[in-house]
Amino acid sequence: MLFNLLMYVFMAVMIVRIISMNAQRKKNFRTTELLRNVNDSAMFNEIADRLEQENQKDIVFLNELKVFRLWEQAMNRRYDAFRKSLEEINLNDYISEGRKGMEVNEVAFFYLLHTIPNIFYGQEDEEMRKLVAEKAETVREKLSNQMIWMIYEANEAMYDGSPEKAVPLYEKILDGDYEGIAYGKSMISVYKKICAVMLAWYYKDRDEEKFNEFKGDLEAFNQMNVGRRWIRNLGIEMSDEEEAAEETESEETSEEEPAEEEPAETESEEKE
């Protein structure tokens, strides 16, 4: 009897996991379809409108969709639309209390706090970047112990010309010294890539030997579309061979990375 009961429990757990995995695959497919068309505002918004209608009950996805729209508007310099969309977003909707404590939608915050400010830096538009910073202040207290927030503040310090406020954090995270800092487990590799690239940018004109230590990280990040844009926005020029590889890849792949290479939604956890 006990064995049969355990088998039923095991089967129930497996069924729940399969359902969860299928739901995540469906979500990844939706996101990939949307992000592939980011450079075409009309097509992007046509897909976004359709996805919004098809997923009225998926509040998490609908909230992420609002941030994806912001990202497209920033990419295509649709600043009036961006201001309006940003004003309508309530960032507290992306933070909730779960069984393990505070849960943060790191997909949404990755685009809002990391990717979009990087775009505006590349566009040399400090006004728009500061507009995002003002919005971010509304959740500073809630996110202050989150890695995604700490790296955001470090990036802003770099953009503002104060690397002394950022470099120690980047190095600390790359060294694995982040005990007590909350982060989504599947996000840590993304965060480390960003830290490495930002350090490469810092050392580029300061210390050639240190810069070369991060060349492998630059090349790896450059293979991802989101990473390629990030590097270009920093003004880092890759070699001719790498640029040629980029162009070939861009012709053969979608505009954005496959869903499994995009940051995945996770619960924030503290390193034990």
Side-chain angles (χ1 to χ4, degrees), residues 208-237:
E208 184 177 357
E209 184 176 348
K210 291 287 288 185
F211 172 76
N212 287 334
E213 291 179 12
F214 294 102
K215 285 196 71 174
D217 298 291
L218 278 172
E219 292 166 0
F221 204 34
N222 196 52
Q223 296 304 309
M224 302 168 62
N225 285 314
V226 66
R228 184 177 310 125
R229 292 193 187 98
W230 190 291
I231 291 169
R232 285 177 175 170
N233 287 334
L234 296 179
I236 299 176
E237 295 182 2

Side-chain angles (χ1 to χ4, degrees), residues 79-96:
Y79 299 144
D80 289 342
F82 183 92
R83 289 188 182 92
K84 185 175 184 297
S85 298
L86 185 65
E87 184 177 350
E88 293 173 351
I89 284 181
N90 182 353
L91 295 188
N92 287 294
D93 292 341
Y94 299 83
I95 305 170
S96 61

Side-chain angles (χ1 to χ4, degrees), residues 239-256:
S239 69
D240 292 340
E241 290 183 2
E242 289 159 353
E243 291 290 345
E246 288 176 28
E247 293 174 3
T248 301
E249 181 189 0
S250 295
E251 293 173 357
E252 296 176 350
T253 63
S254 64
E255 177 59 27
E256 277 306 302

